[in-house]
Amino acid sequence: MNIVEFKRIDGRKHDEFRPIEARVGVLQKADGSAYFRLGNTVAIAGVYGPRKVHPRHEEQLDRAILRTRYNMAPFATTERGRPGYSRRSIEISMVTRQAINPVIFLEEFPKTAIDVHIEVLQADASTRCVGINAACLALADAGIPMRDLVASCSAGKVNGNIILDIAGKEDTEGEVDLPVAYYPKKKHVTLLQMDGIVTREEAKEIVKLAVGGTKKIYEAQKSALRKKYEIEGEKNDIY
Amino acid sequence: MISTDPQLIKNIVSNGERLDGRGMYDYRKITIEKGAVATADGSARVKLGNTEVICGVKFSVGEPFSDTPDEGVLMVAAEFVPLASPEFESGPPGEEAVEASRVVDRAIRESKVIDFKKLCITPGEKVWMVFVDIDVLDNDGNLIDAASLAAIAALFDAKLPGLKEDGKIDYDNKSDQGLQINGIPLSTTFAKVGDSIIADPDLSEAEAVDARLTVGTFDKDGDVLLCSMQKGGSVGLTVEELEKIIDLAISKGKELRKMVANA
């Protein structure tokens, strides 16, 4: 790839993330919880379960059901958003569930529900990615057995340049946004969406940049989890 | 409802075959009938094998969004009515119907083949609202592609209504002015079954599908470009599989576009 380095609106390199912050165990009532921040995009996720299924008819005899709810706070955007479910949040809740589903041992908890609630508190692009990152940490924090963590980020095209982690003006003025979620152990892309006009080659390049970017998110997730179980004075580097 | 054992489908597909004898990348037979609804401003009925959807376009005059004061408004909605399948329930659109309508919407909108500035009547005050409503009549799988074909065919069929002097719609007089659409955006869906990729999964195959990728493509000045993608299903795809599907979508899109152009 022959990329001439150019300056982005906020001065980042083409493959540079905004500041990443991840914390685990941030809520008291939820069985597991996490905070994830990517620049000015902030989400908190809380997990309840495995618990009894209501309504009962959704119950599955051989496995737990995974339910996800992505919600954006009315104050998370520049212009106030309408509270409650929107068609957008229904779709994002669905793709979020499909993104996380492969890594959870649902078969370990028949006839139960695992509920994942994602609350976007600040929105500056990639909210679904930040929500997924928080959700996976919250699931791990709740002690739900998982095959791996799913890490998510987006890449896109702005002014003809292919860049990682679109934010701010890049989001409103950019041509293409492509979020992915990645299951590293299996090398599987578990979420992929795109809008905007690209050639076949650009599409493939953006996918590769986004998938490559999830590596750094994955590291941030792992270190947040490790930090929670750190024993003071001991270096926890068994992984 | 009789369903086909997913394992049987997996076995058949792993041998490079399909239950109905199609090739791996073949679509079912497609028929597009424009002007199927007399009361709509534009319409199309699409059959994709035994899947059948009908789409109606209606115009109304409304206020533009504050961030696009000089642009018309496009709204796509899909209803998976209980008529079409024993699996569908009445009530507000479920997540699959919401997803289908948003994926169809995205391909049309993002391709920018419709110049929404041309649908402005008075900037900041009045614009044309384009409502694209998709009704599923018979569900035999791959509703997204069927809906996508119906939506774009209905938009090509649409004629703007006349306006009365007071600015209201004159329902008695249709204009002969159609929408200016510069290209044919279409969704093409591919599914991963085991280690194989198939095009246009039907309902008997749906249970065996591990993952799905819908790719929106359109034609511009002789080139084919991508305008949207949406992965579905609860299993992942490798980067190699994604790339293969992108290539397949580009060649399938070309085939399907011919049918829309000739409809």
Side-chain angles (χ1 to χ4, degrees):
Chain A
M1 207 157 44
N2 181 19
I3 289 177
V4 182
E5 206 49 69
F6 52 90
K7 270 274 176 265
R8 288 167 66 170
I9 300 171
D10 56 7
R12 284 183 286 153
K13 293 197 188 92
H14 83 278
D15 60 348
E16 190 178 340
F17 275 109
R18 292 171 282 171
I20 301 171
E21 193 186 343
R23 274 183 283 135
V24 165
V26 296
L27 303 175
Q28 194 233 326
K29 285 284 181 285
D31 297 320
S33 60
Y35 165 101
F36 203 96
R37 178 173 80 89
L38 203 48
N40 276 326
T41 297
V42 174
I44 285 188
V47 169
Y48 287 87
R51 63 178 175 182
K52 266 192 166 172
V53 185
H54 291 290
R56 276 284 294 277
H57 67 86
E58 288 184 11
E59 199 175 273
Q60 297 280 330
L61 292 174
D62 57 345
R63 61 186 170 87
I65 57 164
L66 177 67
R67 295 187 292 207
T68 48
R69 182 176 192 261
Y70 163 101
N71 188 50
M72 193 180 272
F75 48 78
T77 43
T78 320
E79 239 181 83
R80 178 177 180 265
R82 250 180 54 184
Y85 263 138
S86 64
R87 286 158 55 88
R88 176 177 180 275
S89 71
I90 291 171
E91 184 195 346
I92 297 179
S93 298
M94 179 185 186
V95 294
T96 296
R97 188 185 71 234
Q98 292 170 337
I100 299 171
N101 191 84
V103 297
I104 305 174
F105 285 95
L106 293 169
E107 58 277 21
E108 302 266 320
F109 306 99
K111 297 198 269 186
T112 65
I114 298 170
D115 289 310
V116 181
H117 300 281
I118 297 164
E119 198 69 14
V120 176
L121 301 179
Q122 281 180 216
D124 181 14
S126 292
T127 58
R128 72 199 65 187
C129 305
V130 169
I132 287 168
N133 296 335
C136 284
L137 287 176
L139 282 159
D141 183 43
I144 310 255
M146 294 163 82
R147 297 177 175 88
D148 199 356
L149 293 164
V150 170
S152 179
C153 69
S154 79
K157 188 169 93 168
V158 178
N159 297 324
N161 297 313
I162 286 169
I163 55 178
L164 187 68
D165 186 29
I166 285 170
K169 276 222 157 64
E170 293 172 341
D171 183 39
T172 46
E173 290 168 16
E175 296 105 81
V176 179
D177 186 19
L178 186 152
V180 300
Y182 197 60
Y183 170 2
K185 277 190 188 146
K186 208 146 190 202
K187 294 192 167 67
H188 269 181
V189 177
T190 61
L191 173 141
L192 181 133
Q193 296 180 289
M194 185 193 81
D195 51 54
I197 300 171
V198 281
T199 63
R200 172 201 315 234
E201 290 71 28
E202 284 171 336
K204 292 178 182 176
E205 203 183 315
I206 299 170
V207 168
K208 283 206 180 104
L209 182 62
V211 168
T214 58
K215 210 171 178 181
K216 193 155 183 212
I217 301 287
Y218 188 57
E219 292 308 319
Q221 285 172 311
K222 284 197 291 187
S223 83
L225 279 173
R226 240 177 264 144
K227 206 162 177 190
K228 190 187 166 182
Y229 299 101
E230 217 168 44
I231 301 165
E232 230 172 297
E234 254 179 61
K235 227 181 156 206
N236 193 349
D237 54 3
I238 45 169
Y239 297 105
Chain B
M1 194 175 61
I2 301 164
S3 63
T4 317
D5 177 14
Q7 196 51 50
L8 173 70
I9 296 288
K10 286 199 177 194
N11 294 345
I12 295 172
V13 170
S14 70
N15 291 330
E17 292 171 327
R18 298 178 78 171
L19 193 60
D20 60 3
R22 269 190 287 165
M24 302 297 267
Y25 309 141
D26 287 350
Y27 266 65
R28 288 166 286 173
K29 185 172 182 265
I30 296 170
T31 54
I32 303 169
E33 176 201 349
K34 284 205 270 190
V37 182
T39 45
D41 298 317
S43 60
R45 181 197 288 260
V46 166
K47 280 191 174 184
L48 176 56
N50 288 322
T51 286
E52 186 172 350
V53 303
I54 195 157
C55 173
V57 172
K58 291 291 264 184
F59 293 101
S60 74
V61 176
E63 256 182 61
F65 288 118
S66 57
D67 53 343
T68 50
D70 58 345
E71 288 183 20
V73 175
L74 174 75
M75 305 239 217
V76 180
E79 278 200 85
F80 289 8
V81 291
L83 162 81
S85 162
E87 309 281 315
F88 293 165
E89 289 170 18
S90 48
E95 56 180 23
E96 283 179 30
V98 169
E99 186 195 29
S101 61
R102 288 178 61 86
V103 170
V104 170
D105 177 295
R106 212 168 287 155
I108 297 169
R109 187 183 303 274
E110 296 294 335
S111 66
K112 298 193 169 72
V113 295
I114 299 175
D115 185 357
F116 288 100
K117 287 204 162 64
K118 295 227 163 74
L119 292 171
C120 177
I121 303 168
T122 322
E125 283 176 30
K126 272 186 200 167
V127 296
W128 284 110
M129 323 270 287
V130 189
F131 293 94
V132 177
D133 287 292
I134 299 149
D135 232 15
V136 177
L137 300 180
D138 220 343
N139 174 27
D140 194 31
N142 197 11
L143 292 174
I144 291 182
D145 291 1
S148 157
L149 285 163
I152 195 66
L155 283 166
F156 272 107
D157 182 54
K159 297 273 185 288
L160 284 159
L163 280 180
K164 288 194 269 197
E165 275 178 23
D166 61 359
K168 295 217 169 88
I169 291 182
D170 184 355
Y171 286 103
D172 297 327
N173 290 299
K174 267 191 192 180
S175 77
D176 54 4
Q177 190 196 339
L179 288 167
Q180 229 182 61
I181 309 174
N182 306 307
I184 305 175
L186 277 183
S187 292
T188 42
T189 296
F190 297 84
K192 168 171 151 172
V193 177
D195 293 323
S196 312
I197 304 289
I198 54 171
D200 178 33
D202 66 27
L203 197 61
S204 71
E205 292 166 333
E207 282 282 303
V209 166
D210 293 316
R212 184 201 85 211
L213 186 69
T214 300
V215 182
T217 60
F218 71 109
D219 49 325
K220 196 184 180 189
D221 311 324
D223 290 330
V224 179
L225 297 167
L226 277 74
C227 50
S228 64
M229 284 198 270
Q230 176 93 344
K231 185 202 155 283
S234 284
V235 175
L237 292 160
T238 64
V239 172
E240 293 71 37
E241 286 163 340
L242 290 170
E243 293 188 338
K244 182 176 175 184
I245 293 175
I246 289 172
D247 290 337
L248 286 169
I250 286 183
S251 63
K252 268 300 148 188
K254 280 183 195 163
E255 272 177 44
L256 265 56
R257 255 187 289 283
K258 276 183 203 144
M259 296 187 205
V260 175
N262 297 328

